Amino acid sequence: YTNTNYAAPQQENSISPLHTIFRMAYPSGSPEKIEENSMWPSIAPDSSKIVYVKYTSISKNKLYVADTNGDNPQEVILNGSGIPEIVDAPIFLPNGQSILFSAPVPPQAYQPTWFDKLMGVQIAKAHDVPSDWYVVSVSGGEPVRLTQIQAAYLFASISPDDKRVVSSSGNGTFVMELDGSNLTSLMLGSAPQGTVRWIP
């Protein structure tokens, strides 16, 4: 599970709020810390690994894969053109070898003018910006963009038969194939941030 600390002291350019991933044996275990400054843990289909997002600054985070007890953390290194600086809501696909995650479409490179530099203009980033679904190998590589929906607050869940993804977003709820095809809207309209799960 993820613990959120809203009362932690904050420094300039620090992450707010602070998130920590814990695990706990059911029903009477004690919480064991897995990773700090991290959230969105998701377990692999064979229960051998977890994938999560680790925050490195306010405007950047990275995908990590580790053993379920937090040992052997490895960054999933993204490469190629248009690497997103913000990644969110990762889950393993049924093959256990690919990770589905949401990210904003990388903007075109911005070069500040001399006037922007003089006035101290900085680029603002946020996690609630319109995003799409991407997939990448657990071993890293170039992410593949699966959708063209530009929706905020994306969250996904794999169907019990491992054939489809249901996704909630700020624009509604939809279902798609694992490769992003056959996208079908279930509910349209503005929706609050939340999650969605399949019933077995």
Side-chain angles (χ1 to χ4, degrees), residues 145-191:
R145 184 179 176 185
L146 298 183
T147 61
Q148 305 276 337
I149 55 175
Q150 292 288 281
Y153 309 119
L154 287 173
F155 179 88
S157 176
I158 304 294
S159 64
D161 63 5
D162 292 337
K163 293 182 178 179
R164 294 175 183 84
V165 176
V166 64
S167 182
S168 62
S169 75
N171 298 342
T173 304
F174 60 89
V175 172
M176 66 183 187
E177 305 294 322
L178 297 180
D179 62 1
S181 63
N182 296 326
L183 193 144
T184 304
S185 176
L186 300 179
M187 292 187 296
L188 284 176
S190 179

Side-chain angles (χ1 to χ4, degrees), residues 11 16 37 57 60 66 74 82 94 121 143 146 172 180 189 193 195-196:
Q11 299 175 349
S16 177
N37 294 333
S57 72
K60 291 187 179 181
Q74 300 288 325
V121 173
L146 298 183
Q193 183 177 2
T195 60
V196 63

Side-chain angles (χ1 to χ4, degrees), residues 26 29 37 39 41 49 54 59 62 64 78 86 110 112 130 145 160 179 182-183 187 190 196:
Y26 177 82
N37 294 333
M39 64 183 300
K49 301 283 184 183
K54 184 170 182 65
S59 60
K62 297 179 179 180
Y64 270 77
L78 307 180
I86 298 173
Y110 167 72
R145 184 179 176 185
D179 62 1
N182 296 326
L183 193 144
M187 292 187 296
S190 179
V196 63

